Amino acid sequence: MPLRQLLDADNLPALDRRYALDRPALGLGAGDPPPRILLLYGSLRERSFSRLCVEEAARLLQFFGCETRIYDPSALPLPDQVAGDDHPAVHELRELSMWSEGHVWCSPERHGQVTGIMKTQIDHLPLNMGGMRPTQGRTLAVMQVSAGSQSFNSVNTLRVLGRWMRMFTIPNQSSVAKAFNEFDEAGRMKPSSYYDRIADVMEELVRFTVLLRPHAAQLVDRYSERKEAGVQIDPATDLSGIPTASR
């Protein structure tokens, strides 16, 4: 199964727990079951900084009470390379997205843009799949890593892609400059403002995911799709036309 195993999930050396909320979405909605977050990264290098960032994000999300899964794209074929996308890695990616309530996407910036690995994963996620929606209505947090100075090209593109996939991309984002300086030999992120921003982004993702989860089905209920499917509105159950009391 193409999943990355997260090592030292409970070890957060760069997090100052004196200032960390273990349940940042408390009071915004039901925290049980734990929010389900799928994390994607965009490089196959042995020391992939986008993967290392995603792993730090997954540890933080677990600390915040989430269930996480990190997809390993190393076996993923190119879009349309396999007839009907009938490939185990494609099926697994789509099943993981169906399982999820929210996503984290982290891409390196290469030639001023997201990598092909990152785009391939997104291209394998259809808007509609046999009446099921692998991405629609889910929350999304975007991050990028750069080899040079701080840039926002990749996160801006990921926002465009998230909107196209009909996801709710949260306002905050992370861009890690000179990522090779931000991790120790063991692959753990050093304490820094970059790490603090990732913690901020994950806090916000948890909040938006919990806040939207009771309304996920209604938020993707569309007139055009009801019309195409011939699903008529039943006046006996439609409450949208009931006038509200004047203020």
Side-chain angles (χ1 to χ4, degrees):
M1 186 167 65
L3 286 176
R4 294 286 310 187
Q5 297 302 312
L6 186 64
L7 303 177
D8 295 326
D10 298 326
N11 185 21
L12 298 167
L15 183 71
D16 190 335
R17 299 195 184 210
R18 294 176 299 172
Y19 308 104
L21 297 170
D22 59 356
R23 292 298 179 269
L26 190 65
L28 294 177
D32 292 320
R36 302 181 301 276
I37 308 297
L38 172 64
L39 300 98
L40 308 180
Y41 59 94
S43 168
L44 299 182
R45 291 177 177 173
E46 182 177 355
R47 187 172 168 83
S48 163
F49 296 113
S50 62
R51 174 177 58 78
L52 294 178
C53 274
V54 153
E55 290 176 351
E56 294 293 350
R59 293 183 184 99
L60 286 162
L61 287 167
Q62 290 189 18
F63 175 75
F64 295 145
C66 297
E67 183 179 356
T68 65
R69 295 182 185 177
I70 302 173
Y71 181 75
D72 181 348
S74 57
L76 194 64
L78 292 171
D80 305 318
Q81 182 179 356
V82 178
D85 289 328
D86 188 13
H87 188 280
V90 177
H91 296 319
E92 181 71 13
L93 174 60
R94 293 175 176 178
E95 289 168 6
L96 287 168
S97 193
M98 288 299 305
W99 163 86
S100 73
E101 295 177 273
H103 285 203
V104 175
W105 296 349
C106 183
S107 177
E109 181 177 290
R110 185 170 296 170
H111 301 311
Q113 266 303 336
V114 300
T115 61
I117 296 295
M118 192 76 237
K119 186 62 162 57
T120 294
Q121 294 174 84
I122 298 168
D123 284 348
H124 273 301
L125 294 171
L127 281 176
N128 194 298
M129 184 178 65
M132 298 182 291
R133 296 165 168 149
T135 59
Q136 296 187 55
R138 286 158 178 80
T139 53
L140 171 64
V142 295
M143 306 194 299
Q144 76 168 73
V145 294
S146 302
S149 58
Q150 191 172 46
S151 167
F152 301 95
N153 291 322
S154 291
V155 287
N156 287 339
T157 295
L158 292 174
R159 286 187 176 279
V160 171
L161 290 167
R163 183 171 69 247
W164 191 260
M165 303 305 286
R166 299 175 185 170
M167 304 176 80
F168 295 99
T169 308
I170 66 171
N172 214 340
Q173 62 188 24
S174 168
S175 175
V176 180
K178 295 183 179 179
F180 56 87
N181 285 331
E182 299 303 318
F183 293 86
D184 62 23
E185 292 183 359
R188 297 306 306 270
M189 199 166 185
K190 303 171 187 176
S192 69
S193 60
Y194 292 130
Y195 180 87
D196 293 349
R197 174 58 68 90
I198 292 177
D200 289 347
V201 174
M202 294 308 113
E203 269 192 343
E204 190 171 286
L205 178 64
V206 175
R207 289 186 175 118
F208 274 89
T209 303
V210 169
L211 187 65
L212 294 179
R213 73 191 319 187
H215 313 290
Q218 185 177 3
L219 290 171
V220 295
D221 180 28
R222 299 185 180 88
Y223 161 78
S224 60
E225 295 178 359
R226 293 194 302 271
K227 182 179 178 182
E228 182 180 359
V231 179
Q232 299 184 21
I233 301 300
D234 182 356
T237 58
D238 178 27
L239 303 180
S240 61
I242 298 177
T244 57
S246 59
R247 296 182 179 178

Coordinates of all heavy atoms in Angstrom, one line a residue, residues 175-227:
S175 N 5.4 28.8 3.2 CA 6.5 28.8 2.2 C 7.8 28.8 2.9 O 8.2 29.8 3.6 CB 6.3 30.0 1.3 OG 7.4 30.1 0.3
V176 N 8.6 27.7 2.7 CA 9.8 27.5 3.4 C 11.0 27.8 2.5 O 11.2 27.1 1.5 CB 10.0 26.1 4.0 CG1 11.3 25.9 4.7 CG2 8.8 25.8 5.0
A177 N 11.7 28.9 2.7 CA 12.8 29.3 1.9 C 14.1 28.5 2.3 O 14.3 28.2 3.5 CB 13.1 30.8 2.0
K178 N 15.0 28.3 1.3 CA 16.3 27.6 1.6 C 16.0 26.4 2.5 O 16.6 26.3 3.6 CB 17.3 28.5 2.2 CG 17.7 29.7 1.3 CD 18.8 30.5 1.9 CE 19.2 31.6 0.9 NZ 20.2 32.5 1.4
A179 N 15.1 25.5 2.1 CA 14.7 24.4 2.9 C 15.8 23.5 3.4 O 15.7 22.9 4.5 CB 13.6 23.6 2.2
F180 N 16.9 23.5 2.6 CA 18.1 22.6 3.0 C 18.7 23.1 4.3 O 19.4 22.3 5.0 CB 19.1 22.6 1.9 CG 19.6 24.0 1.5 CD1 20.7 24.6 2.2 CD2 19.0 24.7 0.5 CE1 21.1 25.9 1.8 CE2 19.4 26.0 0.1 CZ 20.5 26.6 0.8
N181 N 18.4 24.3 4.7 CA 18.9 24.8 6.0 C 18.0 24.6 7.2 O 18.4 24.8 8.4 CB 19.2 26.3 6.0 CG 20.4 26.7 5.1 OD1 21.4 25.9 5.1 ND2 20.4 27.9 4.5
E182 N 16.8 24.1 6.9 CA 15.8 24.1 8.0 C 15.6 22.7 8.6 O 14.7 22.5 9.5 CB 14.4 24.5 7.4 CG 14.5 26.0 6.9 CD 14.9 27.0 7.9 OE1 14.4 26.8 9.1 OE2 15.7 27.9 7.6
F183 N 16.4 21.7 8.2 CA 16.2 20.4 8.7 C 17.6 19.8 9.2 O 18.6 20.1 8.6 CB 15.7 19.4 7.7 CG 14.2 19.8 7.3 CD1 14.0 20.7 6.3 CD2 13.2 19.1 7.9 CE1 12.7 21.0 5.9 CE2 11.9 19.5 7.5 CZ 11.6 20.4 6.5
D184 N 17.5 19.1 10.3 CA 18.7 18.5 10.8 C 19.1 17.2 10.1 O 18.4 16.8 9.1 CB 18.6 18.2 12.3 CG 17.5 17.3 12.7 OD1 17.1 16.4 11.9 OD2 17.1 17.3 13.9
E185 N 20.1 16.5 10.5 CA 20.6 15.3 9.8 C 19.5 14.2 9.8 O 19.5 13.3 9.0 CB 21.9 14.8 10.3 CG 23.1 15.8 10.0 CD 24.4 15.2 10.6 OE1 24.4 14.1 11.2 OE2 25.4 15.9 10.4
A186 N 18.7 14.2 10.9 CA 17.7 13.1 11.0 C 16.4 13.5 10.3 O 15.5 12.7 10.3 CB 17.4 13.0 12.5
G187 N 16.4 14.6 9.6 CA 15.3 15.0 8.8 C 14.2 15.7 9.6 O 13.0 15.8 9.1
R188 N 14.5 16.2 10.8 CA 13.5 16.9 11.6 C 13.7 18.4 11.4 O 14.9 18.9 11.4 CB 13.7 16.5 13.1 CG 13.4 15.0 13.3 CD 12.0 14.6 12.8 NE 10.9 15.4 13.3 CZ 10.2 15.2 14.4 NH1 10.5 14.2 15.2 NH2 9.3 16.0 14.8
M189 N 12.6 19.1 11.4 CA 12.7 20.5 11.2 C 13.2 21.2 12.5 O 12.7 20.9 13.6 CB 11.3 21.0 10.8 CG 11.3 22.4 10.1 SD 9.7 22.8 9.3 CE 10.1 24.3 8.6
K190 N 14.1 22.2 12.3 CA 14.6 23.0 13.4 C 13.6 24.0 13.8 O 12.7 24.4 13.1 CB 15.9 23.6 13.0 CG 17.0 22.7 12.4 CD 18.1 23.5 11.8 CE 19.1 22.6 11.2 NZ 20.2 23.4 10.5
P191 N 13.7 24.4 15.1 CA 12.8 25.5 15.5 C 13.1 26.8 14.7 O 14.2 27.2 14.5 CB 13.2 25.7 17.0 CG 13.8 24.4 17.4 CD 14.5 23.9 16.2
S192 N 12.0 27.4 14.2 CA 12.2 28.6 13.4 C 10.8 29.2 13.2 O 9.8 28.6 13.5 CB 12.8 28.2 12.0 OG 11.9 27.5 11.3
S193 N 10.8 30.4 12.6 CA 9.5 31.0 12.2 C 8.8 30.2 11.1 O 7.6 30.2 11.0 CB 9.7 32.4 11.7 OG 10.6 32.5 10.6
Y194 N 9.6 29.5 10.3 CA 9.0 28.6 9.3 C 8.2 27.5 9.9 O 7.1 27.1 9.5 CB 10.0 28.0 8.3 CG 10.7 29.1 7.4 CD1 12.1 29.1 7.4 CD2 10.0 30.0 6.7 CE1 12.7 30.1 6.6 CE2 10.6 30.9 5.9 CZ 12.0 31.0 5.8 OH 12.6 31.9 5.0
Y195 N 8.8 26.9 10.9 CA 8.1 25.8 11.6 C 6.9 26.3 12.3 O 5.8 25.7 12.3 CB 9.0 25.1 12.7 CG 8.3 24.0 13.4 CD1 8.3 22.7 12.9 CD2 7.7 24.3 14.6 CE1 7.7 21.7 13.6 CE2 7.0 23.2 15.3 CZ 7.0 22.0 14.8 OH 6.4 21.0 15.5
D196 N 7.0 27.5 12.9 CA 5.8 28.1 13.6 C 4.7 28.3 12.6 O 3.5 28.2 13.0 CB 6.2 29.4 14.3 CG 7.2 29.2 15.5 OD1 7.4 28.0 15.9 OD2 7.8 30.2 15.9
R197 N 5.0 28.8 11.4 CA 4.0 29.0 10.4 C 3.3 27.7 10.0 O 2.1 27.7 9.9 CB 4.6 29.7 9.2 CG 3.6 29.8 8.0 CD 2.4 30.6 8.4 NE 2.7 32.0 8.6 CZ 2.7 32.9 7.7 NH1 2.4 32.7 6.4 NH2 3.0 34.2 8.0
I198 N 4.0 26.6 9.9 CA 3.4 25.3 9.6 C 2.4 24.9 10.7 O 1.3 24.5 10.5 CB 4.5 24.2 9.4 CG1 5.2 24.5 8.1 CG2 3.8 22.8 9.3 CD1 6.4 23.5 7.8
A199 N 2.8 25.2 12.0 CA 1.9 24.9 13.1 C 0.7 25.8 13.0 O -0.4 25.3 13.2 CB 2.7 25.2 14.4
D200 N 0.8 27.0 12.6 CA -0.3 27.9 12.4 C -1.2 27.4 11.4 O -2.5 27.4 11.5 CB 0.1 29.3 12.0 CG 0.8 30.1 13.1 OD1 0.7 29.7 14.3 OD2 1.4 31.1 12.8
V201 N -0.7 26.9 10.3 CA -1.5 26.4 9.1 C -2.2 25.2 9.5 O -3.4 25.0 9.2 CB -0.6 26.2 7.9 CG1 -1.4 25.5 6.8 CG2 0.0 27.5 7.4
M202 N -1.6 24.3 10.2 CA -2.3 23.1 10.6 C -3.4 23.3 11.7 O -4.4 22.7 11.6 CB -1.2 22.0 11.2 CG -0.3 21.5 10.1 SD -1.0 20.9 8.6 CE -0.5 22.2 7.4
E203 N -3.1 24.3 12.6 CA -4.2 24.7 13.5 C -5.4 25.2 12.7 O -6.5 24.8 13.0 CB -3.7 25.8 14.4 CG -3.1 25.4 15.7 CD -2.9 26.6 16.6 OE1 -3.0 27.8 16.2 OE2 -2.7 26.4 17.8
E204 N -5.2 26.0 11.8 CA -6.2 26.6 11.0 C -7.0 25.5 10.2 O -8.2 25.5 10.0 CB -5.7 27.7 10.1 CG -6.8 28.5 9.4 CD -6.2 29.7 8.7 OE1 -5.8 30.7 9.4 OE2 -6.1 29.7 7.5
L205 N -6.2 24.6 9.6 CA -6.8 23.5 8.8 C -7.8 22.7 9.7 O -8.9 22.3 9.3 CB -5.8 22.6 8.2 CG -6.3 21.4 7.4 CD1 -7.1 21.8 6.2 CD2 -5.1 20.5 7.1
V206 N -7.3 22.4 10.9 CA -8.2 21.6 11.8 C -9.5 22.4 12.1 O -10.6 21.8 12.1 CB -7.4 21.3 13.1 CG1 -8.4 20.6 14.1 CG2 -6.2 20.4 12.8
R207 N -9.3 23.7 12.4 CA -10.5 24.5 12.7 C -11.5 24.5 11.6 O -12.7 24.3 11.8 CB -10.1 25.9 13.1 CG -9.3 26.0 14.4 CD -9.1 27.4 14.8 NE -8.5 27.5 16.1 CZ -7.3 28.0 16.4 NH1 -6.5 28.4 15.4 NH2 -6.8 28.1 17.6
F208 N -11.0 24.8 10.4 CA -11.9 24.8 9.2 C -12.6 23.5 8.9 O -13.7 23.4 8.5 CB -11.2 25.4 8.0 CG -11.2 26.9 7.9 CD1 -10.2 27.6 8.5 CD2 -12.2 27.6 7.3 CE1 -10.2 29.0 8.4 CE2 -12.3 28.9 7.2 CZ -11.2 29.7 7.8
T209 N -11.8 22.4 9.1 CA -12.3 21.1 8.8 C -13.4 20.7 9.8 O -14.5 20.2 9.4 CB -11.2 20.0 8.9 OG1 -10.1 20.4 8.0 CG2 -11.7 18.6 8.5
V210 N -13.2 21.0 11.0 CA -14.3 20.7 12.0 C -15.5 21.6 11.8 O -16.6 21.2 12.0 CB -13.7 20.8 13.5 CG1 -14.8 20.8 14.5 CG2 -12.7 19.7 13.7
L211 N -15.2 22.9 11.5 CA -16.3 23.8 11.3 C -17.2 23.5 10.1 O -18.4 23.6 10.2 CB -15.7 25.2 11.1 CG -16.7 26.4 11.0 CD1 -17.4 26.6 12.4 CD2 -15.9 27.7 10.6
L212 N -16.6 22.9 9.1 CA -17.4 22.6 7.9 C -17.9 21.2 7.8 O -18.8 21.0 7.0 CB -16.5 22.9 6.6 CG -16.0 24.3 6.3 CD1 -15.2 24.4 5.1 CD2 -17.2 25.2 6.2
R213 N -17.4 20.3 8.6 CA -17.8 18.9 8.5 C -19.3 18.6 8.6 O -19.8 17.8 7.8 CB -17.0 18.0 9.4 CG -17.4 18.1 10.9 CD -16.4 17.4 11.8 NE -15.8 16.1 11.4 CZ -15.1 15.4 12.2 NH1 -14.8 15.7 13.4 NH2 -14.6 14.2 11.7
P214 N -20.1 19.3 9.4 CA -21.5 19.0 9.4 C -22.2 19.5 8.2 O -23.4 19.1 7.9 CB -22.0 19.8 10.7 CG -20.8 20.2 11.4 CD -19.7 20.4 10.4
H215 N -21.6 20.4 7.4 CA -22.2 21.0 6.2 C -21.7 20.5 4.9 O -22.0 21.1 3.9 CB -22.1 22.5 6.3 CG -22.4 23.1 7.7 ND1 -23.7 23.1 8.2 CD2 -21.6 23.6 8.6 CE1 -23.7 23.6 9.4 NE2 -22.4 23.9 9.7
A216 N -20.8 19.5 4.9 CA -20.1 19.1 3.7 C -21.0 18.7 2.6 O -20.8 19.1 1.4 CB -19.1 17.9 4.1
A217 N -22.0 17.9 2.9 CA -23.0 17.5 1.8 C -23.7 18.7 1.3 O -23.9 18.8 0.0 CB -23.9 16.4 2.4
Q218 N -24.2 19.6 2.1 CA -25.0 20.7 1.6 C -24.1 21.7 0.8 O -24.6 22.3 -0.2 CB -25.6 21.4 2.8 CG -26.5 22.6 2.4 CD -27.2 23.3 3.6 OE1 -26.9 22.9 4.8 NE2 -28.0 24.2 3.4
L219 N -22.9 21.8 1.1 CA -22.0 22.8 0.5 C -21.7 22.3 -1.0 O -21.3 23.2 -1.8 CB -20.7 23.0 1.2 CG -20.8 23.7 2.6 CD1 -19.6 23.7 3.4 CD2 -21.2 25.2 2.3
V220 N -21.9 21.1 -1.3 CA -21.6 20.6 -2.7 C -22.9 20.2 -3.4 O -22.9 19.5 -4.4 CB -20.6 19.5 -2.7 CG1 -19.3 19.9 -2.2 CG2 -21.1 18.3 -1.9
D221 N -24.1 20.6 -2.8 CA -25.4 20.3 -3.4 C -25.7 21.4 -4.4 O -25.8 22.6 -4.1 CB -26.4 20.3 -2.3 CG -27.8 20.0 -2.9 OD1 -27.9 19.3 -3.9 OD2 -28.8 20.4 -2.3
R222 N -25.8 21.1 -5.7 CA -25.9 22.1 -6.8 C -27.1 21.9 -7.6 O -27.5 20.8 -8.0 CB -24.6 22.0 -7.7 CG -23.3 22.3 -6.9 CD -22.2 22.3 -7.9 NE -20.9 22.6 -7.2 CZ -20.2 21.6 -6.6 NH1 -20.5 20.4 -6.8 NH2 -19.1 21.9 -5.9
Y223 N -27.6 23.1 -8.0 CA -28.8 23.1 -8.9 C -28.6 22.4 -10.2 O -29.5 21.6 -10.6 CB -29.2 24.6 -9.2 CG -30.1 24.8 -10.4 CD1 -31.5 24.5 -10.3 CD2 -29.6 25.2 -11.6 CE1 -32.3 24.7 -11.4 CE2 -30.4 25.3 -12.7 CZ -31.7 25.1 -12.6 OH -32.5 25.2 -13.7
S224 N -27.5 22.6 -10.8 CA -27.2 22.0 -12.1 C -27.2 20.5 -12.1 O -27.7 19.8 -13.0 CB -25.9 22.6 -12.7 OG -24.8 22.3 -11.9
E225 N -26.6 20.0 -11.0 CA -26.5 18.5 -10.8 C -27.9 17.9 -10.5 O -28.2 16.8 -10.9 CB -25.4 18.2 -9.8 CG -24.0 18.6 -10.2 CD -23.0 18.3 -9.2 OE1 -23.3 17.8 -8.1 OE2 -21.8 18.6 -9.5
R226 N -28.6 18.6 -9.6 CA -30.0 18.1 -9.4 C -30.8 18.1 -10.6 O -31.6 17.2 -10.9 CB -30.7 19.0 -8.3 CG -30.0 19.0 -6.9 CD -31.0 19.6 -5.9 NE -31.3 21.0 -6.2 CZ -30.5 22.0 -5.8 NH1 -29.4 21.8 -5.1 NH2 -30.9 23.3 -6.1
K227 N -30.7 19.1 -11.5 CA -31.4 19.2 -12.7 C -31.0 18.1 -13.6 O -31.9 17.4 -14.2 CB -31.2 20.6 -13.4 CG -32.0 20.8 -14.7 CD -31.7 22.1 -15.2 CE -32.4 22.3 -16.6 NZ -32.1 23.7 -17.2

